[in-house]
Amino acid sequence: MPPSYLRGVRFLRQHAMLITTILIATIISSPLLAQTDQLLSWNDTATKKAIIEFVGRVTKEGSPDFVKPEDRFATFDNDGTLWVEQPIYTQVTFAIDEVVAMAPQHPEWRETEPFKSILAHDRAAMERFSIQDFEKVVAVTHSGMSVQQFQEIVKKWLAEAKHPRFKRPYTECVYQPMLELMQYLRTNGFKTYIVTGGGQEFVRAFAGPTYGVPPEQVVGSMGKVKYEYDKEGRPELIKLPDVLLIDDKTGKPEGINMVIGRRPNGAFGNSTGDQQMLEYTGAGDGARLMMLVHHDDAKREYAYGAESKIGTFSDALMAEAKKKGWIVISMKDDWKTIFPSAVR
Amino acid sequence: MPPSYLRGVRFLRQHAMLITTILIATIISSPLLAQTDQLLSWNDTATKKAIIEFVGRVTKEGSPDFVKPEDRFATFDNDGTLWVEQPIYTQVTFAIDEVVAMAPQHPEWRETEPFKSILAHDRAAMERFSIQDFEKVVAVTHSGMSVQQFQEIVKKWLAEAKHPRFKRPYTECVYQPMLELMQYLRTNGFKTYIVTGGGQEFVRAFAGPTYGVPPEQVVGSMGKVKYEYDKEGRPELIKLPDVLLIDDKTGKPEGINMVIGRRPNGAFGNSTGDQQMLEYTGAGDGARLMMLVHHDDAKREYAYGAESKIGTFSDALMAEAKKKGWIVISMKDDWKTIFPSAVR
């Protein structure tokens, strides 16, 4: 009998009361008890059943599809999958607001496009902005400060800004059923990652409190940074206006490989930008779950698809989903509620 | 009283026997019991005391330096910090062996440098190789295959190759005290990451079984990849000969930000390539632990420092360590044993 066993028994005898207390606390807070109740905002449709069935196969020891807890990974797109992306990506709204906030320090912007149109609140002109125009806007609003400073700016903006239609903070324009799905997967041993075309540092600024996803589990489009020293000689990483990775389409599997280095077991998206992530996930062995949120609920949120510039869900993607067995989530039919209640 | 509490009590009553069994098993295998015995290969010097003192401060609830378990991060350089880097980096030996193995498919290499010198086993010429020469060698041996295929090649090589002096596999030329330190930190809630100038995919191929570090916790120099489909239409990531990040010097904080997105609480290195990682770590608030392995044990391993091309420990770095309170680990004085015993 190894000495560690003896020590264990002795420890057990000496701390019986403490152990009982810990045990009761553990049992009471045990996620096991709540497991079947976790998808409360999902209607009892085939979609919900598919989620529960997948998790059952992957977590059942002895099952041919069993995956060890440390190997369970799920990746989630952000815009349109976890939070609202209409009428315009939240990060673009942020950038536009930042241009307005920075304008007093840049009198030249009054005469220079694309800033001139932004400062004139010329929506028609802004809708015609080219990729290059957006790059200029992102460059001035997303570089020149340290990573920490940038995240503080984002947090401050998110604390004040409100969605134009829902009149609530953007971080509350998140989908309650998806929050429950992430939590349900985590309860079942999955690590949940965000894999977004949005900026990695932008999403890291709110992913913790909003989604329960820590910074190291946010993969996003990445800009270059420069290692510098501030006035006090403290090192910091300064954001540069150069792109390192566009984490969209084929960039999603690339970003997943850089940061995770594994093929996810489950992947969740809503647009053509997520197709390669779902393909890459589905190409692995064993049980896999690929899902696409379909925005078909104009009443409670928005209805858009193939014709939308933002969050395009093309007919080709719908055909691919059918062919590959990817599950299309109908917001209208599968979701009991869309947003969290005001008090969380 | 919430219903979950009642359910908890009921569950507890119904499963008392099962719970007791689980509890005993948990206590016996509890890392808590072994905590103070984990640094067995460290001599009882000030260095070992500093490690234990740091971990005590960070893990003690109520202490001003307390860090929540989910926020505890430690980063480790690999070459010269976790495994032997002399007489030449292991990955370079791998690349050279691969050139030899690939030579039959490349008759032109017999007449083209730097391959000609490698195939002629011309050590003198190889020692004069420029960065560009090495880049050519890395390009042909580290690209053109999928990430998975590359890792299989690395695993196969590591299973057969032996260190020229120690006559054991490279994965056994790892430092036992550092394995214990990583495990000790993990037992205390830290996530241990490798942050290496070596290739990310190269190190991922062995970091799991060798160090207990999973793929998502390996940050390394990164090459670009291309998303492609194989003959069966399965997507894969093909390694390209282009560099995305050199994870050395200022590249280490950059890589840490990309993959971890947090400032580590502890950082461990051995050369000028690690200076910025230690600086960046030390610039955070609260308790921080920065350590540098000093190779001063020619008898049991190697003795090298400022004069070495590989793993340079410059006099300036030594001065910086003293100034900043970074702890220099003397392999000779602080380590009881260097390598794991043959049977692990």
Side-chain angles (χ1 to χ4, degrees):
Chain A
M1 200 176 281
S4 68
Y5 174 78
L6 290 175
R7 276 206 304 272
V9 171
R10 206 180 320 131
F11 185 90
L12 200 58
R13 281 199 198 121
Q14 287 165 356
H15 301 281
M17 194 57 217
L18 174 70
I19 288 162
T20 308
T21 311
I22 291 168
L23 178 66
I24 292 172
T26 308
I27 295 292
I28 288 171
S29 66
S30 171
L32 281 168
L33 292 171
Q35 222 172 48
T36 50
D37 300 352
Q38 278 187 349
L39 301 173
L40 284 171
S41 302
W42 292 75
N43 287 318
D44 284 323
T45 58
T47 303
K48 180 174 173 175
K49 282 191 193 81
I51 295 168
I52 293 169
E53 196 251 352
F54 164 76
V55 170
R57 284 167 69 189
V58 166
T59 56
K60 197 184 166 194
E61 243 168 303
S63 140
D65 289 321
F66 177 71
V67 177
K68 285 183 286 178
E70 62 267 33
D71 295 330
R72 295 178 199 157
F73 285 77
T75 54
F76 292 80
D77 169 57
N78 185 40
D79 294 301
T81 300
L82 296 179
W83 77 357
V84 173
E85 63 184 345
Q86 296 285 359
I88 193 168
Y89 293 124
T90 305
Q91 193 172 359
V92 172
T93 307
F94 162 76
I96 288 170
D97 283 2
E98 281 301 293
V99 165
V100 175
M102 291 163 75
Q105 282 82 52
H106 295 272
E108 74 280 10
W109 287 354
R110 300 245 151 242
E111 304 305 324
T112 328
E113 289 294 359
F115 309 105
K116 190 178 164 186
S117 296
I118 292 173
L119 297 176
H121 304 285
D122 185 344
R123 290 244 153 235
M126 283 157 70
E127 275 171 25
R128 288 191 307 270
F129 274 1
S130 65
I131 294 282
Q132 287 73 27
D133 290 328
F134 276 116
E135 280 175 357
K136 280 181 198 161
V137 172
V138 169
V140 300
T141 55
H142 286 63
S143 70
M145 69 294 278
S146 75
V147 168
Q148 279 86 344
Q149 284 164 344
F150 176 73
Q151 291 189 350
E152 290 309 315
I153 294 167
V154 175
K155 282 178 196 171
K156 194 163 167 276
W157 181 80
L158 282 171
E160 291 164 11
K162 291 216 160 104
H163 188 277
R165 174 173 158 196
F166 299 111
K167 314 287 181 205
R168 48 157 77 190
Y170 288 95
T171 49
E172 292 177 21
C173 295
V174 294
Y175 306 130
Q176 176 65 21
M178 295 306 283
L179 297 181
E180 292 171 8
L181 174 56
M182 291 180 109
Q183 185 53 48
Y184 175 65
L185 288 170
R186 288 194 291 259
T187 300
N188 283 284
F190 282 82
K191 278 179 206 68
T192 52
Y193 278 73
I194 291 171
V195 178
T196 173
Q200 186 178 36
E201 305 302 355
F202 182 81
V203 177
R204 278 175 172 167
F206 64 90
T210 305
Y211 301 128
V213 173
E216 67 273 17
Q217 288 170 216
V218 175
V219 187
S221 292
M222 302 176 194
K224 291 189 183 169
V225 294
K226 192 172 188 308
Y227 187 79
E228 282 188 358
Y229 303 91
D230 68 11
K231 280 175 240 159
E232 284 83 43
R234 280 166 58 116
E236 53 187 14
L237 294 168
I238 302 296
K239 284 172 69 64
L240 300 178
D242 309 310
V243 166
L244 193 69
L245 174 80
I246 296 291
D247 192 55
D248 196 39
K249 298 195 167 70
T250 60
K252 291 210 174 195
E254 291 172 36
I256 287 171
N257 187 59
M258 281 166 66
V259 177
I260 314 181
R262 306 169 178 253
R263 202 185 288 268
N265 313 88
F268 306 86
N270 77 302
S271 78
T272 51
D274 302 309
Q275 179 162 353
Q276 288 80 0
M277 175 168 77
L278 269 65
E279 266 180 8
Y280 184 66
T281 301
D285 300 326
R288 305 274 155 174
L289 182 64
M290 282 71 65
M291 299 187 120
L292 289 166
V293 175
H294 192 213
H295 294 262
D296 58 359
D297 193 335
K299 203 174 153 210
R300 296 189 297 174
E301 202 240 11
Y302 294 94
Y304 58 98
E307 78 301 334
S308 179
K309 266 178 79 176
I310 288 169
T312 317
F313 196 133
S314 66
D315 295 338
L317 178 61
M318 188 62 92
E320 191 73 6
K322 283 209 175 113
K323 192 178 132 197
K324 296 240 167 89
W326 301 346
I327 293 166
V328 176
I329 299 168
S330 162
M331 292 181 78
K332 203 170 146 209
D333 299 332
D334 292 323
W335 289 0
K336 212 170 278 175
T337 53
I338 305 284
F339 299 122
S341 53
V343 183
R344 276 206 280 170
Chain B
M1 199 177 282
S4 67
Y5 173 80
L6 290 175
R7 276 205 306 273
V9 171
R10 206 180 320 133
F11 185 90
L12 201 59
R13 281 201 198 119
Q14 285 166 357
H15 301 280
M17 194 57 219
L18 174 71
I19 288 163
T20 309
T21 311
I22 292 169
L23 177 66
I24 292 172
T26 308
I27 295 294
I28 288 171
S29 65
S30 171
L32 281 168
L33 292 171
Q35 221 171 48
T36 53
D37 300 353
Q38 276 188 350
L39 301 173
L40 284 171
S41 301
W42 292 76
N43 287 319
D44 285 323
T45 58
T47 303
K48 180 174 173 174
K49 281 191 194 81
I51 295 168
I52 293 169
E53 196 251 351
F54 164 76
V55 170
R57 285 167 68 190
V58 166
T59 57
K60 196 185 165 191
E61 243 168 301
S63 140
D65 290 322
F66 177 72
V67 177
K68 284 183 287 179
E70 62 268 32
D71 294 331
R72 295 178 199 155
F73 284 77
T75 54
F76 292 80
D77 169 57
N78 184 41
D79 295 301
T81 299
L82 296 179
W83 77 356
V84 173
E85 63 184 346
Q86 296 285 358
I88 194 167
Y89 293 124
T90 305
Q91 193 172 358
V92 173
T93 307
F94 162 76
I96 288 169
D97 283 1
E98 281 301 293
V99 165
V100 175
M102 292 164 75
Q105 281 81 54
H106 295 272
E108 74 280 9
W109 286 355
R110 299 244 151 240
E111 303 305 323
T112 327
E113 289 295 359
F115 308 105
K116 190 178 164 184
S117 295
I118 292 173
L119 298 176
H121 303 285
D122 185 344
R123 290 245 154 233
M126 283 157 70
E127 276 171 25
R128 289 191 306 271
F129 274 1
S130 65
I131 295 282
Q132 287 73 28
D133 290 328
F134 276 116
E135 280 175 357
K136 281 180 197 162
V137 172
V138 169
V140 299
T141 55
H142 287 63
S143 70
M145 70 292 278
S146 76
V147 168
Q148 279 86 345
Q149 284 165 344
F150 176 74
Q151 291 189 350
E152 290 309 316
I153 294 168
V154 174
K155 282 178 197 170
K156 194 163 166 275
W157 180 81
L158 283 171
E160 291 165 9
K162 291 217 160 101
H163 188 276
R165 175 173 157 195
F166 299 112
K167 314 288 182 203
R168 48 158 78 190
Y170 288 96
T171 49
E172 291 177 21
C173 294
V174 294
Y175 306 131
Q176 177 65 21
M178 295 306 284
L179 297 181
E180 293 170 8
L181 174 56
M182 291 180 108
Q183 185 54 47
Y184 175 65
L185 289 170
R186 287 194 291 259
T187 300
N188 282 285
F190 282 82
K191 279 180 205 67
T192 52
Y193 277 75
I194 292 171
V195 178
T196 174
Q200 187 179 35
E201 304 302 354
F202 182 81
V203 177
R204 277 175 172 167
F206 63 90
T210 304
Y211 301 127
V213 173
E216 67 273 17
Q217 287 169 218
V218 175
V219 187
S221 292
M222 302 175 193
K224 291 188 184 171
V225 294
K226 193 173 188 309
Y227 188 78
E228 282 187 359
Y229 302 91
D230 69 9
K231 279 175 241 158
E232 283 83 43
R234 280 166 58 116
E236 54 187 15
L237 294 167
I238 301 296
K239 283 173 68 64
L240 300 178
D242 309 310
V243 166
L244 192 70
L245 174 81
I246 296 291
D247 192 55
D248 196 39
K249 298 193 167 72
T250 60
K252 291 210 174 197
E254 290 171 37
I256 287 170
N257 188 59
M258 281 166 67
V259 177
I260 314 182
R262 303 169 179 254
R263 202 184 288 268
N265 313 88
F268 306 85
N270 76 301
S271 78
T272 50
D274 302 309
Q275 179 162 352
Q276 288 80 1
M277 176 168 75
L278 269 67
E279 267 179 8
Y280 184 66
T281 301
D285 299 326
R288 306 274 154 173
L289 182 64
M290 283 70 66
M291 299 187 119
L292 289 166
V293 175
H294 192 213
H295 294 261
D296 57 0
D297 193 334
K299 205 174 151 207
R300 295 189 298 173
E301 202 242 9
Y302 294 94
Y304 59 97
E307 77 301 335
S308 178
K309 267 177 79 176
I310 288 169
T312 315
F313 195 133
S314 66
D315 296 337
L317 179 61
M318 187 63 91
E320 191 74 6
K322 285 208 174 115
K323 193 178 133 199
K324 295 239 167 90
W326 301 346
I327 293 167
V328 176
I329 299 169
S330 162
M331 292 181 78
K332 204 168 144 210
D333 298 333
D334 291 323
W335 288 0
K336 214 170 276 176
T337 53
I338 306 285
F339 299 121
S341 53
V343 183
R344 276 206 279 170

